[in-house]
Amino acid sequence: MSKADLAAVYRDYIACLNRQNWTALDQFVHPDVHYNGVRIGLSGYRQMLEGDFLAIPDLHFDIDFLISEPPRVGSRLRFDCTPKGLLFGLPVNGKRVSFTENVFYEFRDGRIEEVWSVIDKAAIASQLQQ
C-alpha cells in the first residue's frame, strides 16, 4: 500500500469513528488488534471507543497532522470536548477541555493491528486548575 493509500485509509477510519459507525469498524481494525502492547481484539477495541463516546458525548477526532510510512501511520489528534465525569482519572465533570493525542498505528492486511497512544493528560490537568 502506498503512503497516499495508507493515509486515505486512515482518514476513512477517523471518519468512521466520528460517525460512530461501529458496524464498519472491522473494515479498518484487525481482529487481533493490540492497544499499547495489550491484545484487546476488535470487540475490546470497539468497547473502548463506545465507552469514550459515552463519557464524552461531543467527542470528535480531528487530525492535526498525519505521517504515513507504510505499514505505519503517525498522527497527532486534537480534541475540544466536554466530558461528563472523569477523563483519564481527572475530574473534568462537564468542563470543556482541549488536549492532544499522539498515536502511532501499524497496519497488517490493510487494517490497524497495533496502536500506541500517548494522551496529553497534563494539558487537561492544567485547564482544570484554571
Side-chain angles (χ1 to χ4, degrees), residues 32-88:
D32 294 322
V33 66
H34 289 71
Y35 182 82
N36 285 341
V38 177
R39 184 194 177 282
I40 61 173
L42 179 59
S43 63
Y45 197 76
R46 177 178 172 166
Q47 288 174 357
M48 177 184 70
L49 291 166
E50 288 175 335
D52 291 344
F53 277 94
L54 285 174
I56 312 167
D58 62 347
L59 182 61
H60 180 82
F61 292 75
D62 181 30
I63 300 171
D64 187 27
F65 64 79
L66 166 64
I67 298 169
S68 175
E69 188 64 46
R72 295 185 183 94
V73 164
S75 182
R76 182 174 192 239
L77 300 171
R78 296 176 51 80
F79 302 93
D80 183 16
C81 55
T82 314
K84 292 193 294 190
L86 289 177
L87 180 64
F88 312 119

